[in-house]
């Protein structure tokens, strides 16, 4: 196979070392992908250690690692992202607590987002470092309080970690007062559908359907909140480890969604109406705790 050719591997590494400071962002990402393909993850991690003060390099590397993880689709074969999850989680944590706060890069939030996205693929499956990793996510959220992209990525990553390791992560989330943090996110971005949707899913996953019902009822006239709440209800109904506390709670969710539908008639709200139909169908078949 071409990927095992030592001469090609050496050529790629030489090109990287020689042209590092002249590469555009896209070229840098492509070359990092080539390093990963021809020389392997161990070599790439060694190169990352060699350039500790190059945030653009680390951002591009995180993007390549995320793309690779998505392509490998959970494979734990030698040399895969899952197989190296522990070291990659430690790396992402270090980026968020050390490099990102010290970065002089104008858009340091994009470096943070890249590291957070890497965490979403590896943090939930590592045997150790879970608490440090989760706290690094909240650290990024504090540093970039009003950056919607960071808030969205943190909420997504927290849900991914929860799905992968709910028993392990729940005590950490409790100690970090995750519920309060997520409500703060909702208050900071009251009209941002993307942030609200991800925050709503996280709120429901961690604290149950009651918090979603509170969110939906808190702003009946806010279209973004209603969209986020209905989408989050649908996502929670799909999760195997999330159930309605009782039949009354399931009925309350159905009533809340129907109230949203009644308040948003008209062709201009067709997307919300479609989401509501999907949500009602999932609520009707959702599990209720025994």
């Amino acid at each position: 196979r071409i990927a095992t050719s030592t001469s090609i591997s050496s050529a790629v590494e030489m090109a990287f070392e020689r042209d590092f400071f002249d590469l555009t962002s896209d070229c840098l990402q492509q070359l990092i992908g080539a390093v990963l393909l021809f020389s392997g993850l161990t070599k790439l991690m060694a190169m990352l250690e060699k350039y500790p003060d190059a945030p653009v390099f680390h951002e591009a590397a995180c993007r390549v690692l995320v793309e690779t993880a998505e392509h490998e689709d959970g494979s734990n074969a030698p040399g895969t992202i899952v197989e190296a999850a522990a070291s990659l989680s430690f790396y992402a944590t270090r980026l968020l607590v050390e490099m990102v706060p010290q970065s002089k890069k104008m858009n340091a939030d994009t470096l943070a987002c890249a590291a957070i996205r890497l965490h979403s693929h590896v943090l939930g499956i590592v045997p150790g470092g879970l608490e440090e990793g989760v706290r690094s996510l909240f650290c990024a959220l504090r540093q970039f309080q009003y950056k919607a992209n960071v808030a969205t990525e943190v909420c997504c990553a927290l849900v991914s970690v929860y799905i992968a390791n709910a028993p392990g992560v729940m005590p950490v989330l409790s100690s970090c007062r995750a519920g309060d943090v997520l409500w703060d996110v909702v208050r900071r971005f009251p009209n941002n559908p993307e942030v609200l949707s991800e925050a709503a899913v996280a709120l429901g996953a961690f604290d149950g359907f009651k918090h979603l019902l509170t969110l939906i009822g808190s702003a009946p006239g806010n279209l973004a909140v209603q969209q986020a709440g209905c989408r989050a209800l649908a996502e929670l109904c799909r999760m195997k480890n999330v159930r309605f506390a009782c039949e009354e709670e399931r009925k309350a969710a159905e009533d809340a969604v129907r109230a949203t539908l009644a308040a948003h008639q008209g062709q201009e709200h067709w997307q919300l109406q479609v989401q509501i139909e999907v949500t009602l169908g999932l609520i009707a078949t959702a599990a209720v705790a025994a």
Side-chain angles (χ1 to χ4, degrees), residues 2-283:
I2 190 172
T4 62
S5 170
T6 55
S7 59
I8 293 179
S9 173
S10 299
V12 169
E13 292 172 27
M14 184 181 300
F16 183 89
E17 298 284 351
R18 183 190 62 207
D19 301 325
F20 174 75
F21 292 103
D22 297 322
L23 294 170
T24 65
S25 178
D26 287 343
C27 289
L28 180 60
Q29 192 165 326
Q30 292 172 14
L31 195 50
I32 291 170
V35 171
L36 183 59
L37 173 64
F38 295 120
S39 302
L41 185 56
T42 301
K43 177 62 179 179
L44 176 58
M45 296 304 292
M47 294 174 73
L48 290 169
E49 290 290 337
K50 186 175 180 179
Y51 295 94
D53 300 317
V56 174
F57 174 36
H58 288 269
E59 179 184 334
C62 285
R63 294 184 187 280
V64 170
L65 291 167
V66 167
E67 289 177 1
T68 303
E70 292 171 349
H71 176 73
E72 292 172 348
D73 195 26
S75 170
N76 62 352
T80 60
I81 300 300
V82 170
E83 194 262 344
S87 59
L88 290 173
S89 176
F90 176 78
Y91 166 67
T93 296
R94 193 174 64 178
L95 284 182
L96 290 173
V97 300
E98 295 179 11
M99 180 174 286
V100 170
Q102 298 173 9
S103 176
K104 296 178 182 178
K105 186 171 175 280
M106 184 174 296
N107 51 340
D109 56 301
T110 61
L111 171 59
C113 286
I116 293 165
R117 203 171 296 126
L118 177 58
H119 252 328
S120 72
H121 286 277
V122 298
L123 183 56
I125 57 177
V126 297
L130 181 60
E131 181 170 358
E132 293 81 359
V134 170
R135 291 187 182 280
S136 74
L137 297 176
F138 288 117
C139 177
L141 201 54
R142 287 192 299 272
Q143 182 178 354
F144 301 101
Q145 289 189 48
Y146 295 97
K147 288 288 187 178
N149 56 342
V150 174
T152 300
E153 293 295 346
V154 168
C155 291
C156 286
L158 289 172
V159 172
S160 295
V161 174
Y162 171 81
I163 292 173
N165 186 7
V169 77
M170 284 306 294
V172 180
L173 294 173
S174 178
S175 68
C176 294
R177 301 180 65 86
D180 293 340
V181 174
L182 291 170
W183 277 113
D184 285 342
V185 170
V186 169
R187 284 189 282 268
R188 284 201 299 273
F189 301 96
N191 298 301
N192 188 310
E194 186 176 8
V195 177
L196 287 173
S197 290
E198 301 304 336
V201 173
L203 270 173
F206 306 153
D207 291 326
F209 287 94
K210 61 181 180 181
H211 288 280
L212 275 185
L213 299 182
T214 299
L215 175 63
I216 293 172
S218 68
N222 186 318
L223 180 60
V225 170
Q226 299 306 306
Q227 288 175 325
C230 290
R231 174 182 171 271
L233 281 171
E235 293 298 324
L236 291 184
C237 288
R238 293 188 178 102
M239 293 184 187
K240 294 180 180 180
N241 54 348
V242 180
R243 298 185 175 191
F244 285 104
C246 58
E247 181 61 31
E248 288 75 15
E249 187 175 68
R250 191 193 67 78
K251 183 63 167 58
E254 182 179 333
D255 291 344
V257 174
R258 291 193 184 281
T260 298
L261 179 60
H264 294 84
Q265 296 295 313
Q267 189 173 357
E268 68 273 18
H269 298 308
W270 68 270
Q271 289 179 309
L272 175 59
Q273 292 161 12
V274 170
Q275 177 64 71
I276 286 174
E277 292 301 321
V278 172
T279 301
L280 286 172
L282 289 168
I283 291 174

